[in-house]
Amino acid sequence: MNHTLASLRPGQSGVVQSLTAEGAVKRHFLDMGITKGVHITVERIAPFGDPIAVRLRGYSLSLRRDEAAKICLEG
């Protein structure tokens, strides 16, 4: 079963399998270090569900929920 980063709850994590984004958004993900095989953990989600704070490669960043939905995880 494939699921996306947007489906995870705080404390849950996964390994990036693929990105469904294209163009500038995909380039933005790659620039942030979101690549296939990277381990990513949801740290917290804002009260209304947007943005989502995640941790990967030793640092934290925030993603919009619609961006997180374009990051497919293994498993």
Side-chain angles (χ1 to χ4, degrees):
M1 173 185 96
N2 288 343
H3 57 284
T4 67
L5 184 59
S7 69
L8 298 184
R9 299 287 159 245
Q12 293 181 316
S13 62
V15 176
V16 176
Q17 182 178 50
S18 63
L19 304 173
T20 61
E22 295 184 9
V25 176
K26 185 171 186 176
R27 182 84 230 146
H28 184 58
F29 286 163
L30 298 175
D31 289 345
M32 292 187 294
I34 302 171
T35 57
K36 182 176 178 161
V38 75
H39 189 267
I40 191 164
T41 302
V42 174
E43 291 186 316
R44 62 191 166 279
I45 300 174
F48 293 103
D50 209 3
I52 298 171
V54 298
R55 186 162 189 83
L56 67 145
R57 299 183 187 268
Y59 62 90
S60 298
L61 57 91
S62 292
L63 295 170
R64 292 186 208 110
R65 181 166 287 282
D66 64 330
E67 291 174 332
K70 295 176 180 174
I71 300 171
C72 299
L73 305 175
E74 294 177 2

